[in-house]
Amino acid sequence: MSAGTTGWPAPRPGAAPLPAALEAAVSLLRNRADASLAELIDFAGIPSVSAQTAHAPDMARAAAWLVARLERAGLQDVALWITAGHPAVYGEWLGAPGAPTALVYGHYDVQPPEPLERWSTPPFTPTVIGERVYGRGVSDDKGPLLLTVQAADALLSATGTLPLNVKFLFEGEEEVGSAHLPELVAQRAAELRADFVISADGGMWSAEFPSLTVSGRGLAALEFSVYGPARDLHSGRHGGALHNPLHAAAALVAGLHDDHGRVTIEGFYDGVQELSAEQRAGLTRLPFSDTEYVAQTGAPAAYGEAGYSTLERQWHRPTVEVNGLWGGYTGEGSKTVLPAEAHVKLTCRLVPGQHPETIAALLAEHLRTHTPPGVRLELRPSDHAAGPYALPDGHPLRGAAGQVLHDLYGTAPVEVGMGGSIPILETFKDVLGLDTVLFSFAVGDENIHAPDEFFRIPRLYEGQEAWLRLWWALGHADG
Amino acid sequence: MSAGTTGWPAPRPGAAPLPAALEAAVSLLRNRADASLAELIDFAGIPSVSAQTAHAPDMARAAAWLVARLERAGLQDVALWITAGHPAVYGEWLGAPGAPTALVYGHYDVQPPEPLERWSTPPFTPTVIGERVYGRGVSDDKGPLLLTVQAADALLSATGTLPLNVKFLFEGEEEVGSAHLPELVAQRAAELRADFVISADGGMWSAEFPSLTVSGRGLAALEFSVYGPARDLHSGRHGGALHNPLHAAAALVAGLHDDHGRVTIEGFYDGVQELSAEQRAGLTRLPFSDTEYVAQTGAPAAYGEAGYSTLERQWHRPTVEVNGLWGGYTGEGSKTVLPAEAHVKLTCRLVPGQHPETIAALLAEHLRTHTPPGVRLELRPSDHAAGPYALPDGHPLRGAAGQVLHDLYGTAPVEVGMGGSIPILETFKDVLGLDTVLFSFAVGDENIHAPDEFFRIPRLYEGQEAWLRLWWALGHADG
């Protein structure tokens, strides 16, 4: 590894000077730049794949790694918080009486690396190429998480204090729907008491200019299977006589949308507000080009619900997506089989006005209603769910985070939506009554959930400085 | 092994007496009943799986076994006929000048035994249970093949002569599409000159009463893939903005049939003749029950092209079937991916009036026309193809074979169709100009291509006698 070319970035034109109280810490972080990157490479080398039971020991290893790192940073009450699933990691610093308390959220689990053959470098051997480090989880969410701990460590090392109280909560189940987090947060509500949440998970919209994400879509998930004959049959002898479960599954999937890309499930759009003229106008002012987007993704063309722009569809319109579909013979060559079963994994993205349980129930009812008599439907509801979220207009977190980005980058951030879902936003709001600002230094193009995930190394350092600035701003907002 | 309870079956009520010329041979076959079964057990113990390269030595062993058996039967010019794939085995007896020549077809290769854990007995340790012998290939096609050699052996041993000239051609690639057979048959056309073909492969419809299969559906195959973005994307961030290849593939598959189960491909039914009132009436007289069929297969209900009965759909109507479909995340749990690609394997079953190349081209054109702009279609034509076949009405083979079954079983056989395809029927017609009668003593319920394949032992003996009767009838048809 050589981080020589990827050291601390030069200040941006127009950036506001660093508050004096942060100078020593930032100076220390500059000196630790290579060490910070080396730590990320070490952390991301642990294959903490929460979805795969074979990786349970690696999950434990990653959690233990984090515990040690929080202790080394000088935090107190550092502990593994056991859940019915993977544990969370907790640590706090409460030495600023009278100042507000920030709950810092992140997750140390990562997506499965499959398909392995599509990676250019080994997913769990993080590899520096130019100004990027490649590896599963470096962007989602190990880099953005780790930099918050490194920032606190530096400020505590340099000054012995922080401008506000901080509670770190890093979970291990974000990539599998944060199933046990609501229960944990409810049990630990007293210990987690805070004034607001700052999330290290989230991601900015673009590497070109700063953005602040102020809304996220929710999520509802469902799997279903279609069963026909009791075993695979010969498609010559039996073809035409019985319904083929793959035909039935394909028809069910195809029937979820009409020819205009609109979801056909009855009641799906109930409660969904149309975008205001102001919102639509705002989106058109963003530096976004369909042509460039399509070129970046490699898709032949953009496509979706008719009557909405690409950004409108990504951020403000709900979807139903098939994430996986399989059945029959998938090996080499031909096997003339009339398969016994077909399987489908579905997720919906939700916008304000929609509720995961309601949408999952409508989807299930739609599938039940449309299953033909020649096959049998089996529904498997998922506990992978999240409500949609929006940080209220005029919320102080929104102003503070926006100002820090303005100060750091010398330009006002754009306020953007997020197509994805962060279930914890809803959890923190419902259970603790707290609003959350997403303050991640990941960028949405960093191949998260895909092969060749990467993180931009300069943003590790920018992120450290930004978090220090944000804590400082929030710690002095009232004083 | 005890074959004591599975000896030569008693004559059926109403059976016609054996022609005197066959009495000595049948008497010999009765004495050899246990030995005949022991030979089948020996032969089927060789795992001659043509699809799996690891079994290449076993393929050679099975071919050598057959060569030795043909030589022991007293046949001449016995040889391995080398092909670019697995060899064929040839042997002849041409001692009946002036009598017709029968080309006898069968195959010594077998299907892969997988899934192994579903077998009740080891697939390549043929095991007698009651009146059945269980093992891979005993029904498809080693039992039906071997009994023809045993019949010839017995008649030659007993009388020194056969009533007609016989050429045996046993291939080793039937289970992988008979890829090299057309070339071999063309190269050896002079040596294979004959008056008709009698196939030991095919199978009867039911064990309850004799049937004669007079038609088989053809086959056309095609694979296609649908590509969207260049790599898997996050379905939260990108969902709704781009077309999902699984949605597009599902819509393409769903669009192959209308709501009445009818294929929507333009021109698909061109040239297909409607069933005659007589044909339909004949089918209704067959002892077939939809209820029993559905119960046997375990499907919730029968389903297919509206306006046709189950047997009509199985035997006389063309189909399009998806044999495999896959894309996206298919592992444990949930992965919120907008997949880069989806894959589909299709086969069509064809009836007279349809041609594999034409149908494959119409299917490809249909898919091209219906692919939406948000995804890219890739078609992969297959060389897995076969024309439909029907033994012409009034063909002497049809009469002779039907009469022999009538004589043997004391009741007229029903004429049935076959949903599956035997590519060699088309090869013999196209290359040698010969019609083929399927004269197998396998039964369609014997789990061919599936675990627990079995062969009914009494049919080994009935088959031996039937082949002698058929040869005798065909040898004396003109005299």
Side-chain angles (χ1 to χ4, degrees):
Chain A
M1 183 205 87
S2 159
T5 57
T6 56
W8 200 272
R12 308 293 179 116
L18 204 61
L22 301 178
E23 276 172 9
V26 169
S27 174
L28 190 54
L29 285 166
R30 282 170 186 271
N31 293 338
R32 290 179 178 177
D34 283 2
S36 292
L37 177 57
E39 271 187 355
L40 173 57
I41 287 170
D42 191 37
F43 187 28
I46 306 171
S48 48
V49 181
S50 50
Q52 297 171 343
T53 46
H55 284 294
D58 300 312
M59 288 298 300
R61 224 160 30 103
W65 192 100
L66 257 188
V67 164
R69 185 63 188 91
L70 289 175
E71 284 174 342
R72 211 162 63 244
L75 299 175
Q76 288 134 26
D77 281 345
V78 176
L80 273 187
W81 280 4
I82 302 308
T83 73
H86 299 295
V89 174
Y90 179 81
E92 64 184 27
W93 187 89
L94 304 179
T101 299
L103 177 58
V104 173
Y105 168 84
H107 64 90
Y108 67 88
D109 64 321
V110 303
Q111 279 275 314
E114 287 81 10
L116 293 171
E117 70 280 6
R118 301 282 292 274
W119 283 79
S120 309
T121 59
F124 295 110
T125 307
T127 305
V128 172
I129 300 176
E131 292 209 328
R132 299 172 169 190
V133 53
Y134 285 84
R136 169 56 84 228
V138 291
S139 172
D140 180 19
D141 177 43
K142 284 177 172 171
L145 175 160
L146 182 59
L147 67 86
T148 69
V149 183
Q150 292 169 335
D153 184 339
L155 191 51
L156 285 170
S157 297
T159 69
T161 187
L162 298 179
L164 78 179
N165 303 295
V166 179
K167 299 178 176 181
F168 290 93
L169 178 65
F170 300 135
E171 70 156 319
E173 301 194 307
E174 199 277 340
E175 300 296 1
V176 288
S178 300
H180 301 99
L181 194 71
E183 194 185 343
L184 181 74
V185 170
Q187 283 170 350
R188 304 278 191 166
E191 291 157 274
L192 292 173
R193 190 175 300 130
D195 295 287
F196 42 75
V197 182
I198 315 176
S199 173
D201 193 26
M204 284 197 209
W205 186 55
S206 154
E208 307 303 316
F209 48 87
S211 63
L212 193 62
T213 304
V214 296
S215 69
R217 293 193 290 190
L219 183 127
L222 183 73
E223 293 191 28
F224 71 90
S225 297
V226 175
Y227 296 96
R231 68 191 72 194
D232 289 359
L233 299 177
H234 189 287
S235 69
R237 184 164 145 76
H238 297 277
L242 299 172
H243 209 341
N244 181 325
L246 279 171
H247 296 195
L252 285 171
V253 166
L256 292 170
H257 295 86
D258 68 14
D259 291 345
H260 306 288
R262 196 173 161 84
V263 175
T264 56
I265 300 165
E266 206 176 311
F268 184 79
Y269 293 102
D270 287 0
V272 174
Q273 288 209 315
E274 278 304 319
L275 284 96
S276 68
E278 196 186 340
Q279 266 183 304
R280 304 191 83 156
L283 292 175
T284 63
R285 284 194 295 271
L286 291 180
F288 175 85
S289 141
D290 253 32
T291 313
E292 272 176 39
Y293 173 68
V294 163
Q296 275 164 16
T297 60
Y303 175 84
E305 192 185 358
Y308 297 93
S309 73
T310 297
L311 287 184
E312 287 169 2
R313 298 196 309 270
Q314 276 189 342
W315 295 346
H316 301 295
R317 295 297 297 172
T319 66
V320 179
E321 292 286 336
V322 176
N323 305 120
L325 197 173
W326 69 103
Y329 180 69
T330 61
E332 188 188 351
S334 164
K335 188 169 181 213
T336 50
V337 68
L338 192 168
E341 51 196 63
H343 309 281
V344 182
K345 288 176 190 272
L346 286 169
T347 48
C348 304
R349 296 291 163 167
L350 313 180
V351 299
Q354 293 182 306
H355 303 283
E357 301 74 22
T358 314
I359 293 296
L362 291 175
L363 174 54
E365 185 54 28
H366 177 95
L367 293 170
R368 258 185 238 111
T369 308
H370 289 83
T371 298
V375 292
R376 185 171 59 77
L377 178 73
E378 185 180 292
L379 294 163
R380 282 186 300 283
S382 164
D383 50 10
H384 195 176
Y389 178 81
L391 187 60
D393 265 339
H395 193 283
L397 275 178
R398 200 160 164 166
Q403 188 59 50
V404 165
L405 292 176
H406 195 158
D407 289 349
L408 183 68
Y409 288 101
T411 175
V414 291
E415 293 203 337
V416 301
M418 182 176 59
S421 312
I422 303 193
I424 56 99
L425 299 182
E426 190 192 21
T427 300
F428 291 135
K429 187 71 181 176
D430 287 357
V431 182
L432 301 177
L434 301 182
D435 280 301
T436 301
V437 66
L438 302 175
F439 204 65
S440 167
F441 285 76
V443 179
D445 66 353
E446 290 174 340
N447 297 334
I448 68 166
H449 295 207
D452 288 347
E453 177 176 350
F454 68 92
F455 186 54
R456 290 176 168 84
I457 297 166
R459 294 179 74 87
L460 179 65
Y461 311 130
E462 284 177 358
Q464 292 169 345
E465 181 177 332
W467 276 73
L468 289 181
R469 285 180 182 255
L470 181 61
W471 284 335
W472 195 87
L474 292 166
H476 294 78
D478 302 329
Chain B
M1 181 205 87
S2 158
T5 58
T6 57
W8 200 273
R12 309 292 180 116
L18 204 62
L22 300 178
E23 276 173 8
V26 169
S27 175
L28 189 55
L29 285 167
R30 281 171 187 269
N31 293 337
R32 289 180 178 177
D34 283 2
S36 292
L37 176 58
E39 270 187 355
L40 173 56
I41 287 170
D42 191 38
F43 186 28
I46 307 172
S48 48
V49 181
S50 50
Q52 297 172 342
T53 46
H55 283 295
D58 299 312
M59 288 297 300
R61 228 164 21 108
W65 191 99
L66 257 190
V67 164
R69 185 64 188 89
L70 288 176
E71 283 174 341
R72 211 162 63 244
L75 300 175
Q76 288 136 27
D77 282 345
V78 176
L80 274 188
W81 280 3
I82 303 307
T83 74
H86 298 296
V89 174
Y90 180 80
E92 65 183 27
W93 187 90
L94 303 180
T101 299
L103 178 58
V104 172
Y105 168 84
H107 65 89
Y108 67 88
D109 64 322
V110 304
Q111 279 274 316
E114 286 79 12
L116 292 171
E117 71 279 7
R118 302 279 293 272
W119 283 80
S120 308
T121 59
F124 295 111
T125 306
T127 305
V128 173
I129 301 176
E131 293 208 328
R132 299 172 170 189
V133 53
Y134 285 84
R136 170 57 83 227
V138 291
S139 172
D140 181 18
D141 178 43
K142 284 177 171 171
L145 174 160
L146 181 60
L147 68 85
T148 70
V149 184
Q150 292 169 334
D153 185 339
L155 191 51
L156 285 170
S157 295
T159 67
T161 188
L162 298 180
L164 80 178
N165 303 293
V166 179
K167 299 177 174 183
F168 290 93
L169 178 66
F170 299 135
E171 71 156 319
E173 300 194 308
E174 200 277 338
E175 300 296 1
V176 288
S178 300
H180 301 98
L181 192 71
E183 193 185 345
L184 180 75
V185 169
Q187 283 169 351
R188 303 281 191 164
E191 290 157 275
L192 292 172
R193 190 174 300 131
D195 294 288
F196 41 75
V197 181
I198 314 176
S199 172
D201 194 25
M204 285 198 209
W205 186 56
S206 155
E208 307 302 314
F209 47 89
S211 63
L212 191 63
T213 304
V214 296
S215 68
R217 292 195 290 191
L219 183 127
L222 183 75
E223 292 190 30
F224 70 90
S225 296
V226 174
Y227 296 97
R231 69 193 69 198
D232 289 359
L233 299 177
H234 189 286
S235 68
R237 183 164 146 80
H238 298 277
L242 300 171
H243 209 340
N244 180 324
L246 278 172
H247 295 195
L252 285 172
V253 166
L256 293 170
H257 295 87
D258 68 15
D259 292 344
H260 307 289
R262 196 173 161 87
V263 175
T264 57
I265 300 165
E266 206 175 312
F268 184 78
Y269 293 101
D270 287 358
V272 174
Q273 289 209 315
E274 279 302 319
L275 285 95
S276 66
E278 196 186 338
Q279 265 183 305
R280 304 190 85 156
L283 291 175
T284 63
R285 284 194 295 270
L286 290 179
F288 176 85
S289 141
D290 254 32
T291 313
E292 274 175 37
Y293 173 67
V294 164
Q296 276 164 17
T297 60
Y303 175 83
E305 192 184 0
Y308 297 93
S309 73
T310 297
L311 287 184
E312 287 168 2
R313 298 196 309 270
Q314 275 190 340
W315 295 346
H316 300 296
R317 297 297 298 173
T319 67
V320 179
E321 291 287 335
V322 176
N323 305 120
L325 197 173
W326 68 105
Y329 181 67
T330 61
E332 186 187 354
S334 164
K335 189 172 181 208
T336 50
V337 67
L338 193 167
E341 51 197 63
H343 308 281
V344 182
K345 288 175 189 272
L346 286 170
T347 48
C348 304
R349 296 290 164 166
L350 313 180
V351 300
Q354 292 181 307
H355 304 282
E357 299 74 22
T358 314
I359 292 296
L362 290 174
L363 175 54
E365 184 54 29
H366 177 95
L367 294 170
R368 257 185 237 110
T369 307
H370 289 83
T371 298
V375 292
R376 184 172 59 76
L377 178 73
E378 185 180 292
L379 295 163
R380 283 186 300 283
S382 163
D383 52 9
H384 195 177
Y389 179 81
L391 187 60
D393 263 338
H395 192 284
L397 274 177
R398 196 159 167 168
Q403 188 59 50
V404 164
L405 293 176
H406 195 158
D407 288 350
L408 183 68
Y409 288 100
T411 175
V414 291
E415 293 202 336
V416 301
M418 182 175 59
S421 312
I422 302 192
I424 56 99
L425 298 181
E426 191 191 19
T427 300
F428 291 134
K429 187 71 182 177
D430 288 356
V431 183
L432 301 178
L434 301 183
D435 280 302
T436 301
V437 66
L438 301 174
F439 204 66
S440 167
F441 284 76
V443 178
D445 66 353
E446 290 174 341
N447 296 334
I448 67 166
H449 296 207
D452 288 346
E453 178 175 349
F454 69 91
F455 186 54
R456 290 177 168 86
I457 297 167
R459 294 179 73 89
L460 180 65
Y461 311 129
E462 284 177 357
Q464 292 168 344
E465 180 178 332
W467 276 74
L468 289 181
R469 284 179 182 257
L470 181 62
W471 285 335
W472 194 87
L474 292 166
H476 295 79
D478 302 328

